[in-house]
Amino acid sequence: KLYEVKDRNLLDDIKTNFPNIKIVIATNHVSFIRDFIEKEFIVDDIVISAEINMMKPNSCFYNYLLDKYKIQASKLQAFCFLFIGEFKI
């Protein structure tokens, strides 16, 4: 077992309550985490630093996300980010 998942319904609950929200997991983990995430959760996309040769907290990683999802940095306050793990929610 790779990780203990404390709330398997968290992302499903977010999608149910906010159906227009896109859930993207952006991680510095290695590529094999993709299989785990896809098996455990329903997400719109997964961005893995090893697959794009960029790593958080380097600004190139975040600029990649902005470009990929066509988000203007000046309008970023309209988006909600949820950090789980070593970051505050």
Side-chain angles (χ1 to χ4, degrees), residues 5 7 9 17 25 42 51 60 70 77-78 82 84 86:
V5 178
D7 186 350
N9 299 318
N17 291 307
I25 294 179
I42 296 172
E51 295 175 356
C60 292
K70 296 174 180 45
Q77 70 275 8
L82 174 67
I84 301 173
E86 59 205 66

Side-chain angles (χ1 to χ4, degrees), residues 19-60:
N20 295 326
I21 239 173
K22 295 246 184 251
I23 297 177
V24 176
I25 294 179
T27 180
N28 281 341
H29 215 295
V30 292
S31 293
F32 72 81
I33 195 68
R34 178 180 297 283
D35 293 335
F36 172 78
I37 293 169
E38 288 174 344
K39 194 166 30 168
E40 296 290 330
F41 304 103
I42 296 172
V43 296
D44 294 293
D45 199 6
I46 304 166
V47 178
I48 299 173
S49 61
E51 295 175 356
I52 62 169
N53 298 315
M54 297 175 209
M55 198 168 173
K56 297 184 298 183
N58 189 310
S59 63
C60 292

Side-chain angles (χ1 to χ4, degrees), residues 8-26:
R8 293 191 181 280
N9 299 318
L10 176 66
L11 300 179
D12 289 339
D13 290 346
I14 292 170
K15 276 294 208 183
T16 298
N17 291 307
F18 306 96
N20 295 326
I21 239 173
K22 295 246 184 251
I23 297 177
V24 176
I25 294 179

Side-chain angles (χ1 to χ4, degrees), residues 67-84:
D67 290 342
K68 179 173 178 144
Y69 301 106
K70 296 174 180 45
I71 300 169
Q72 294 177 4
S74 62
K75 298 189 180 196
L76 200 53
Q77 70 275 8
F79 294 86
C80 176
F81 292 90
L82 174 67
F83 294 94
I84 301 173

